[in-house]
Amino acid sequence: MSPFWITIAILALAALGYLLGRSRSVRLAGGDTRALHSRPTYHGWHVALFTALPALVLLALARLLQAPGWLAPAALALGVAGLAVALSRTAPQFRARNVVEQVVRGILIVCSLIAIATTVAIVLSLVFESLRFFRMYPWQDFFFGTEWTPSFGGGSELGMLPLLWGTLYISLIALLVAVPVGLYAAIYMSEYATPRVRSVVKPAIEVLAGIPTIVYGLFALVTVGPLLRDWIAQPLGLGSSGSSVMTAGLVMGMMLIPFVSSLSDDIINAVPQSLRDGSLAMGSTHSETIRQVVLPAALPGIVGAVLLAASRAIGETMIVVLGAGAMARISPNPFEAMTTITVKIVGQLTGDNDFASPETLVAFALGLTLFVMTLGLNVLALYIVRKYREQYE
Amino acid sequence: MTDVTSQPPRPVDPPAAPARRSLLIEDPRTRRRNAAERRFRAYGVVAIALAMGALVFLLFTIFRDGTSAFFQTYARIPIAIEAQVVDPAGNRDPAEMQKVLTMGYGKLLDNSLAAYVEANGIEIEGLDDRDLSSFFSAQARADLRNAVLANPELVGTVIEAPVMTSSRIDGMFKGRVSRESAAIDAKTSVAQYDLAMAMQERGDLQTRFNWDFVTSTDSSDNRPEAAGLGVAILGSFYMMLIVLVLSLPIGVAASIYLEEFAPKNRLTDLIEVNISNLAAVPSIVFGILGLAVFINFAGLPRSAPIVGGLVLTLMTLPTIIISTRAALKAVPPSIRDAALGVGASRMQTMFHHVLPLAMPGILTGTIIGLAQALGETAPLLLIGMVAFVTTYPSAPPEGFLDPASALPVQVFNWTQRADPAFFERASGAIIVLLVFLLAMNLLAITLRRKFERRW
Amino acid sequence: ARDQIQVAGSSTVLPYATIVAEAFAENMDFTAPVVEGGGTGAGLKQFCAGLGENTIDVANASRPIKEAELAECRANGVNNIMEVQFGYDGIVFASSINGPDFALTPQDVYKALAAEVVVDGKLVANPAATWADVNPALPAQEITAYVPGTKHGTREVFEEKVMAAGCETSGALEAMTVLSDADKAEEACVKLRTDGRSVDIDGDYTETLARIDSNPNGLGVFGLSFYENNTDKLKVATIDGVAPSVETVASGEYPVSRPLFFYVKKDHFGEIPGLKEFAEFFVADAIAGPGGPLSEYGLVPDPELARVQQAVAAETVVAAN
Amino acid sequence: MDDVRMVERVVDTDARDIKFQCKDVQVFYGEKHAIKDVSVDLLDKTVTAFIGPSGCGKSTFLRCLNRMNDTIGIARVQGRMLLDGEDIYDRRVDPVQLRARVGMVFQKPNPFPKSIYDNVAYGPRIHGLARNRAELDEIVEKALRGAALWNEVKDRLGETGTGLSGGQQQRLCIARAVATAPEVLLMDEPCSALDPIATAQVEELIDELRATFSVVIVTHSMQQAARVSQKTAFFHLGNLVEYGDTDDIFTRPRDPRTESYISGRIG
Amino acid sequence: MDDVRMVERVVDTDARDIKFQCKDVQVFYGEKHAIKDVSVDLLDKTVTAFIGPSGCGKSTFLRCLNRMNDTIGIARVQGRMLLDGEDIYDRRVDPVQLRARVGMVFQKPNPFPKSIYDNVAYGPRIHGLARNRAELDEIVEKALRGAALWNEVKDRLGETGTGLSGGQQQRLCIARAVATAPEVLLMDEPCSALDPIATAQVEELIDELRATFSVVIVTHSMQQAARVSQKTAFFHLGNLVEYGDTDDIFTRPRDPRTESYISGRIG
Ligand SMILES: Nc1ncnc2c1ncn2[C@@H]1O[C@H](COP(=O)(O)OP(=O)(O)OP(=O)(O)O)[C@@H](O)[C@H]1O
Ligand SMILES: Nc1ncnc2c1ncn2[C@@H]1O[C@H](COP(=O)(O)OP(=O)(O)OP(=O)(O)O)[C@@H](O)[C@H]1O
Ligand SMILES: [Mg+2]
Ligand SMILES: [Mg+2]
Ligand SMILES: O=P([O-])([O-])[O-]
């Protein structure tokens, strides 16, 4: 039997366990469910969980360790055993709800640990190669170098500052577009627009998040870049580069609008109406109400949305490649081509370089650095939210 | 304190009666504030207009460039299956016939086309063998070979079936190739252009809707006209299935735990920051992770939707968790009190009351997270999903382990290919991707509307 | 067990590999191979990760495998590697079809794109603004060059065969060696200017093409096959008076070209059905020879293909050293 | 049930001006007819009490007077309501300006999730009633004193208003409304969560306000209505059954329904 | 201020059992000491009224009795509270089970944003009090009748509970709590938004409940306390100043603070 069918079998067994547990509890209570400590459904769940969980865990372990085939039937046997044990424990005074809730709680904990596990795995998968990199390349030059000129023959300059500068610059511009537009769109949708308009506009804007980034990239390259160059950069004497930080930032900002608008819209919508009423009744205008009462109350969610957008901006590649060019440099002029850390991570990792060379391994060091930096950013955001949060009711 | 021992409050001085004002006349301050109000509102309208404008413009370009991918030009000419070409041994032995490679079948088409030109009295200056041999798609040879091998009776007969033309010929009917551009194009010629026009005039070339684009598999750089999205659609579908089934429950469960059950301490703060930070991890790093954990450690196959799905799940989780937590936070505490007060457990309070009220936010996170996952390419680069796959994956669950491609990858791939016809296909693929996205979101959006309410 | 061949590696080789894979699946009774791009380095990394079903069978490369990579392969137990050179790739300079003609020499390109040039015995930032500044015979057009980024193998060839060559013939190498040591001078020869006149392209040739579309002054570096597919949009420049074509590259007249390879794990023969057949099919005359689908697409066939075929048939592996 | 129209019985206005003139007001919540054909004149410098059984439409009618019903999607208001002779439902009327003149205290206390100080200072700030911080402090203190909350919160003005006890929140909302200095103050059961002493202080405040403004108060306590109001309106099932001088209503009700409601008096 | 300890003064329990035994209960909101050293025994089958000025800690103490304070992050409870002799703050005690036995009506009505029916049926459903739909219907109807709401809502049971008037919401919350059939019912100002007739009906309900259960009621109306309760506890500034038979408290208060609070009685 393939693991798939064993899983199905275990789940079927669990379903059976649910029915058995339920009916058994009702029977034991003499048909009067009020005599039970827990509702019959909880007794059902109790049996189902005890049937399925241990068996599935065993099965997963067997699969992960590529253990011999007999483990799979053993999992099935364990399922039957779990069913029997759980069924025998069923009694009117048995605290099935508490047990089930403990198990569910355990599942919840495991789920939230997945995030931690992911982090650990990411750090692990970056750290070793980064160490390899730092053995080949001095860390001072990496962290404080202002030249990024990798080359095949070795002797590359791999300073990350130009990439960092580009990352921050582009993300900043993108957020300067996405946050005001997204926030105002969210405010308009949740506070002013009729439900009809909102029900059309909101999903429509969300489509922006689903358009593949390559489309944005081409849009930046073909439309926005030349437009900015011909109408702004050249007349102002700011350069004649078709791709620029501004191009990438603007287009990326466009893509990020729904991240801010949709999430904020939900949160703003969740602010209780009584707060708005309270403010309106004082003779404040709708916008005063929004700015001074609704938005502060919705702050944590909005900050979350903005962080998500910022995260996305930092992690984006395609738009930067096509929109901003691949030039690693530090310049205050937003109409010049620059590039970001993420782009270089992708580039160095998928290129033709010798994979054991510092030119490739630098990707891991960049990844790790970015990870630590965004961690700092998030700590800061958490602190800000804690400080300014206004908890309603 | 309203304390008997404290002295009675000082009476409030009656505020001076303000001058009577008319409601119909705005006083200056109100006028200012209302102007601010109107500005504020206008910003909202402008913001929405900007967003919608961007959307409309992007959609317009996508459809402008991509619609033609759904059409393909076919020729209908008699094709003689010459025995000496397809069966040089002359014994109709399929094993022997198989030795003739697809390349060999080109000759049948070339000869038939030459015969057609002659039979119809088409006279075109400078029409040479190269023009004839590059008139039809390389795919046409493969199709012909398959037909003959499946049915050896055909040898020696003349059949009339639609024959796929090459991308340049096809391009002539989609405005991609003009007579002028043909003159300088190494892959076509003016003579070929004229021939195509002559054939079309006779009704022997037809451009019609091309289901193959949606259903058939990718093809090599030599035959852009035959490339299809079948494998990519299936691959994306499988991956999204995995992402949805895993990321939504796991994300919601993690959020519930962190927001409602976890003790508020350093550890949970750490987890919280961690999760937001995961959202900022560049997607390619998830590819590195997937390669290390799922392929190298867990031994799952490369290019498999299951690995892609798992990687995208990890990538989507932070988005769902962040939005879900925000939504849970936004549910007023009084609702929780009310439920706890009648003896509901925290779990019941959560699942019966708080979660339904947080549902719109959760679904929004899901919509955005899945949209992002659906369009993601970079992490797939490292786990082998950016692959040229020409066999359909089988049905789940085995299909999860079969090699497959994905829609964004196909787009990425096609935009990198040399033949301009692939650019049209890439835009067409984006249309399919968007349709896919809309179909996926439709359920979530309807659900979200059902759950939306104010309290 | 896996029944399809897995191939990954160079994006330059990718189109050829897909053409072969497609034909292979059509004509042979094996499951269609799965072909990935990802770049030579990335492909070889997977290739060298070890033996077995979870590793790829074939790595495409637009350069020979390096010593360090070979060592890593060996460290991971990948010992019997077959190296197959199946053809050449020409590298061309091309500009917008509507612009003027360019007849370049490596020296012109070097003078136009080098970061620093020697003027009056001193190293100064490259002052050239138009092509005519470099060579009066060239059009007086702003210098804007789109050069593959450092992740691309093409860049290495460009640096070696154009920049370094131009540096040497123009006498700049000598002049710089005087100023510093020889190693430094060689390095300086291939450094491209960073003032925006030379633009690194991290994406693909399609991106270079799009950039030339949006900036008609641009001159881009392309693969020969890419150019051949887009002759209606691009005008190719001659190098030393030779126009690039399959013939001129094959004959060696056109100077800027490089060999293309794929690497096969011999240890996977017998494990993965059809692997050897695939390798043989790849270099068969009907495929990689003149007039075959690969040359039709733009590959410059290896003049010594017969020898390669023999080596594949004999399963010759890279010698251990 | 045949409506008892009030128009013809409107009591003599005692030379006091009519502040609010309501004619044939109807309110619907979707299908539900919540206010049926109510006509009433509310006087200036007078406290008017709205009484009636729970669910009869008192809050609904009150919310019409400063157009707070605009915020309820399904609510529809018909009829004319004139404030100083101007129709507040006129298209040209700015509800913002209206609400600045007609303040409101809601039935359920709804403090902002801000500090106590900011809760009270909110109105004066948006209306620019204070020139500087000192003046604002003064307004806040005065309002909090008026609402009998100052002593309890003077040391914790920076704490959030939602952390107060039920009665404190209610007084905070009163202070918040008073601080804006409206011409008409609508109070929906302002003393429901207050102890007798606090109630007395709020009633005192209402009495003071009457010197300059009109106050409309919804209350379930007949005694309170009798104590603080000069006019009383009795609502029943969406109808205004009887309206007149408070004394008259409580001593000589004309309508049997009024009589039975008042005589059933308990609390 | 020196506390007036109640322990030694606890009145004779009249052979009625002690339901809740509270010893030295302290509650802190962060730094704020909201309940100071309160000891009191609440009797079974008895209505106990908590009275005292606004903000004195009545709600806080009430919320301790079914551990609703657990939900306020900054609240800390010290001391012992025994329900039928078992410490409810014991680690082994499941607060859920406790709250099923000790029901609560909150000071601010907080109906679920669900239908009226579902609001009331929620408790019976999760506790499995009904075997089938008919029984559930019956429970819902009985609870709504008890809370004097049935007539007003019987035709609109499917409408959402948040669309009710303030008083209706309050009664809905009472009905919701009663439907769960708790042993002890804690009611925080249950009649604050009710008209006299509805108040009388709720009081009647309380009286009925007393036959089987204990009821603790917070009220600002001295009359109501006198009418419905057998025992009264007077809180002041976080202290339990006096606890005893209601008659005694209102006629012969022993503490000067009680006396002055009661004599300041107004309405
Ligand atoms: N969540 C909270 N955070 C901080 N302080 C609080 C909180 N809840 C109540 N308090 C404070 O604790 C004290 C007691 O409050 P409690 O709600 O128990 O008063 P109460 O007697 O119920 O008053 P009321 O009759 O006004 O409802 C008050 O001073 C109040 O400000
Ligand atoms: N938002 C609403 N949606 C639908 N019906 C409503 C809404 N608000 C009130 N109602 C209904 O309108 C009627 C009048 O409600 P209103 O709130 O005016 O009563 P009230 O006189 O203030 O009662 P209470 O003294 O209980 O506060 C009630 O039957 C109520 O159920
Ligand atoms: Mg009301
Ligand atoms: Mg209270
Ligand atoms: O991917 P590359 O061909 O540039 O090696």
Side-chain angles (χ1 to χ4, degrees), chain B residues 275-293:
Chain B
I275 288 169
S276 327
N277 193 36
L278 277 184
V281 171
S283 52
I284 184 128
V285 174
F286 283 97
I288 298 177
L289 175 77
L291 180 68
V293 173

PDB file of all heavy atoms in Angstrom, chain B residues 275-293:
ATOM      1  N   ILE B 275       8.159  35.958  12.451  1.00  0.00           N
ATOM      2  CA  ILE B 275       7.209  35.729  11.373  1.00  0.00           C
ATOM      3  C   ILE B 275       7.172  36.927  10.436  1.00  0.00           C
ATOM      4  O   ILE B 275       7.208  36.776   9.215  1.00  0.00           O
ATOM      5  CB  ILE B 275       5.820  35.413  11.952  1.00  0.00           C
ATOM      6  CG1 ILE B 275       5.863  34.025  12.548  1.00  0.00           C
ATOM      7  CG2 ILE B 275       4.760  35.500  10.884  1.00  0.00           C
ATOM      8  CD1 ILE B 275       4.677  33.682  13.373  1.00  0.00           C
ATOM      9  N   SER B 276       7.149  38.118  11.031  1.00  0.00           N
ATOM     10  CA  SER B 276       7.171  39.290  10.149  1.00  0.00           C
ATOM     11  C   SER B 276       8.457  39.286   9.348  1.00  0.00           C
ATOM     12  O   SER B 276       8.491  39.696   8.193  1.00  0.00           O
ATOM     13  CB  SER B 276       7.100  40.584  10.942  1.00  0.00           C
ATOM     14  OG  SER B 276       6.334  40.421  12.071  1.00  0.00           O
ATOM     15  N   ASN B 277       9.506  38.829   9.983  1.00  0.00           N
ATOM     16  CA  ASN B 277      10.783  38.836   9.286  1.00  0.00           C
ATOM     17  C   ASN B 277      10.790  37.832   8.139  1.00  0.00           C
ATOM     18  O   ASN B 277      11.368  38.080   7.097  1.00  0.00           O
ATOM     19  CB  ASN B 277      11.909  38.539  10.266  1.00  0.00           C
ATOM     20  CG  ASN B 277      13.257  38.847   9.665  1.00  0.00           C
ATOM     21  OD1 ASN B 277      13.362  39.813   8.921  1.00  0.00           O
ATOM     22  ND2 ASN B 277      14.242  38.044   9.941  1.00  0.00           N
ATOM     23  N   LEU B 278      10.106  36.722   8.349  1.00  0.00           N
ATOM     24  CA  LEU B 278      10.059  35.726   7.269  1.00  0.00           C
ATOM     25  C   LEU B 278       9.431  36.316   6.015  1.00  0.00           C
ATOM     26  O   LEU B 278       9.783  35.952   4.902  1.00  0.00           O
ATOM     27  CB  LEU B 278       9.252  34.509   7.711  1.00  0.00           C
ATOM     28  CG  LEU B 278      10.009  33.475   8.533  1.00  0.00           C
ATOM     29  CD1 LEU B 278       9.121  32.287   8.806  1.00  0.00           C
ATOM     30  CD2 LEU B 278      11.253  33.035   7.805  1.00  0.00           C
ATOM     31  N   ALA B 279       8.497  37.247   6.237  1.00  0.00           N
ATOM     32  CA  ALA B 279       7.866  37.870   5.073  1.00  0.00           C
ATOM     33  C   ALA B 279       8.882  38.652   4.268  1.00  0.00           C
ATOM     34  O   ALA B 279       8.701  38.873   3.072  1.00  0.00           O
ATOM     35  CB  ALA B 279       6.726  38.778   5.523  1.00  0.00           C
ATOM     36  N   ALA B 280       9.937  39.097   4.923  1.00  0.00           N
ATOM     37  CA  ALA B 280      10.925  39.924   4.227  1.00  0.00           C
ATOM     38  C   ALA B 280      12.048  39.094   3.628  1.00  0.00           C
ATOM     39  O   ALA B 280      12.928  39.635   2.986  1.00  0.00           O
ATOM     40  CB  ALA B 280      11.497  40.960   5.183  1.00  0.00           C
ATOM     41  N   VAL B 281      12.017  37.801   3.872  1.00  0.00           N
ATOM     42  CA  VAL B 281      13.072  36.966   3.299  1.00  0.00           C
ATOM     43  C   VAL B 281      12.838  36.874   1.788  1.00  0.00           C
ATOM     44  O   VAL B 281      11.736  36.528   1.364  1.00  0.00           O
ATOM     45  CB  VAL B 281      13.039  35.567   3.937  1.00  0.00           C
ATOM     46  CG1 VAL B 281      13.962  34.628   3.206  1.00  0.00           C
ATOM     47  CG2 VAL B 281      13.429  35.652   5.396  1.00  0.00           C
ATOM     48  N   PRO B 282      13.831  37.206   0.997  1.00  0.00           N
ATOM     49  CA  PRO B 282      13.634  37.140  -0.452  1.00  0.00           C
ATOM     50  C   PRO B 282      13.217  35.732  -0.860  1.00  0.00           C
ATOM     51  O   PRO B 282      13.701  34.751  -0.292  1.00  0.00           O
ATOM     52  CB  PRO B 282      15.010  37.470  -1.024  1.00  0.00           C
ATOM     53  CG  PRO B 282      15.755  38.125   0.066  1.00  0.00           C
ATOM     54  CD  PRO B 282      15.187  37.646   1.344  1.00  0.00           C
ATOM     55  N   SER B 283      12.331  35.673  -1.810  1.00  0.00           N
ATOM     56  CA  SER B 283      11.744  34.371  -2.123  1.00  0.00           C
ATOM     57  C   SER B 283      12.797  33.358  -2.553  1.00  0.00           C
ATOM     58  O   SER B 283      12.651  32.169  -2.329  1.00  0.00           O
ATOM     59  CB  SER B 283      10.665  34.528  -3.176  1.00  0.00           C
ATOM     60  OG  SER B 283      11.183  35.239  -4.261  1.00  0.00           O
ATOM     61  N   ILE B 284      13.880  33.826  -3.145  1.00  0.00           N
ATOM     62  CA  ILE B 284      14.878  32.868  -3.608  1.00  0.00           C
ATOM     63  C   ILE B 284      15.500  32.114  -2.440  1.00  0.00           C
ATOM     64  O   ILE B 284      15.878  30.949  -2.562  1.00  0.00           O
ATOM     65  CB  ILE B 284      15.972  33.560  -4.450  1.00  0.00           C
ATOM     66  CG1 ILE B 284      16.962  32.526  -5.000  1.00  0.00           C
ATOM     67  CG2 ILE B 284      16.759  34.555  -3.628  1.00  0.00           C
ATOM     68  CD1 ILE B 284      17.174  32.624  -6.446  1.00  0.00           C
ATOM     69  N   VAL B 285      15.551  32.777  -1.285  1.00  0.00           N
ATOM     70  CA  VAL B 285      16.107  32.105  -0.118  1.00  0.00           C
ATOM     71  C   VAL B 285      15.223  30.918   0.275  1.00  0.00           C
ATOM     72  O   VAL B 285      15.713  29.884   0.724  1.00  0.00           O
ATOM     73  CB  VAL B 285      16.267  33.102   1.039  1.00  0.00           C
ATOM     74  CG1 VAL B 285      16.697  32.397   2.305  1.00  0.00           C
ATOM     75  CG2 VAL B 285      17.279  34.166   0.668  1.00  0.00           C
ATOM     76  N   PHE B 286      13.921  31.064   0.049  1.00  0.00           N
ATOM     77  CA  PHE B 286      13.050  29.909   0.294  1.00  0.00           C
ATOM     78  C   PHE B 286      13.387  28.776  -0.671  1.00  0.00           C
ATOM     79  O   PHE B 286      13.221  27.604  -0.352  1.00  0.00           O
ATOM     80  CB  PHE B 286      11.584  30.308   0.149  1.00  0.00           C
ATOM     81  CG  PHE B 286      11.064  31.054   1.335  1.00  0.00           C
ATOM     82  CD1 PHE B 286      11.011  32.432   1.340  1.00  0.00           C
ATOM     83  CD2 PHE B 286      10.658  30.379   2.470  1.00  0.00           C
ATOM     84  CE1 PHE B 286      10.549  33.122   2.441  1.00  0.00           C
ATOM     85  CE2 PHE B 286      10.197  31.057   3.572  1.00  0.00           C
ATOM     86  CZ  PHE B 286      10.140  32.436   3.560  1.00  0.00           C
ATOM     87  N   GLY B 287      13.847  29.172  -1.848  1.00  0.00           N
ATOM     88  CA  GLY B 287      14.299  28.154  -2.793  1.00  0.00           C
ATOM     89  C   GLY B 287      15.518  27.422  -2.257  1.00  0.00           C
ATOM     90  O   GLY B 287      15.601  26.189  -2.308  1.00  0.00           O
ATOM     91  N   ILE B 288      16.456  28.173  -1.695  1.00  0.00           N
ATOM     92  CA  ILE B 288      17.653  27.565  -1.104  1.00  0.00           C
ATOM     93  C   ILE B 288      17.228  26.583  -0.023  1.00  0.00           C
ATOM     94  O   ILE B 288      17.694  25.445   0.056  1.00  0.00           O
ATOM     95  CB  ILE B 288      18.560  28.657  -0.491  1.00  0.00           C
ATOM     96  CG1 ILE B 288      19.039  29.624  -1.567  1.00  0.00           C
ATOM     97  CG2 ILE B 288      19.733  28.029   0.235  1.00  0.00           C
ATOM     98  CD1 ILE B 288      19.892  30.773  -1.039  1.00  0.00           C
ATOM     99  N   LEU B 289      16.291  27.067   0.800  1.00  0.00           N
ATOM    100  CA  LEU B 289      15.795  26.239   1.891  1.00  0.00           C
ATOM    101  C   LEU B 289      15.126  24.976   1.362  1.00  0.00           C
ATOM    102  O   LEU B 289      15.395  23.862   1.833  1.00  0.00           O
ATOM    103  CB  LEU B 289      14.785  27.067   2.687  1.00  0.00           C
ATOM    104  CG  LEU B 289      14.066  26.361   3.804  1.00  0.00           C
ATOM    105  CD1 LEU B 289      15.009  26.231   4.978  1.00  0.00           C
ATOM    106  CD2 LEU B 289      12.845  27.152   4.215  1.00  0.00           C
ATOM    107  N   GLY B 290      14.270  25.153   0.356  1.00  0.00           N
ATOM    108  CA  GLY B 290      13.557  24.003  -0.193  1.00  0.00           C
ATOM    109  C   GLY B 290      14.515  22.971  -0.759  1.00  0.00           C
ATOM    110  O   GLY B 290      14.357  21.761  -0.562  1.00  0.00           O
ATOM    111  N   LEU B 291      15.539  23.459  -1.430  1.00  0.00           N
ATOM    112  CA  LEU B 291      16.528  22.564  -2.003  1.00  0.00           C
ATOM    113  C   LEU B 291      17.220  21.773  -0.886  1.00  0.00           C
ATOM    114  O   LEU B 291      17.378  20.553  -0.958  1.00  0.00           O
ATOM    115  CB  LEU B 291      17.554  23.382  -2.795  1.00  0.00           C
ATOM    116  CG  LEU B 291      18.670  22.588  -3.454  1.00  0.00           C
ATOM    117  CD1 LEU B 291      18.097  21.738  -4.561  1.00  0.00           C
ATOM    118  CD2 LEU B 291      19.740  23.516  -3.997  1.00  0.00           C
ATOM    119  N   ALA B 292      17.588  22.493   0.161  1.00  0.00           N
ATOM    120  CA  ALA B 292      18.325  21.837   1.238  1.00  0.00           C
ATOM    121  C   ALA B 292      17.441  20.860   2.002  1.00  0.00           C
ATOM    122  O   ALA B 292      17.845  19.730   2.278  1.00  0.00           O
ATOM    123  CB  ALA B 292      18.896  22.895   2.188  1.00  0.00           C
ATOM    124  N   VAL B 293      16.225  21.301   2.327  1.00  0.00           N
ATOM    125  CA  VAL B 293      15.401  20.496   3.232  1.00  0.00           C
ATOM    126  C   VAL B 293      14.595  19.441   2.487  1.00  0.00           C
ATOM    127  O   VAL B 293      14.635  18.266   2.822  1.00  0.00           O
ATOM    128  CB  VAL B 293      14.457  21.403   4.048  1.00  0.00           C
ATOM    129  CG1 VAL B 293      13.490  20.562   4.862  1.00  0.00           C
ATOM    130  CG2 VAL B 293      15.271  22.310   4.958  1.00  0.00           C
TER     131      VAL B 293
END
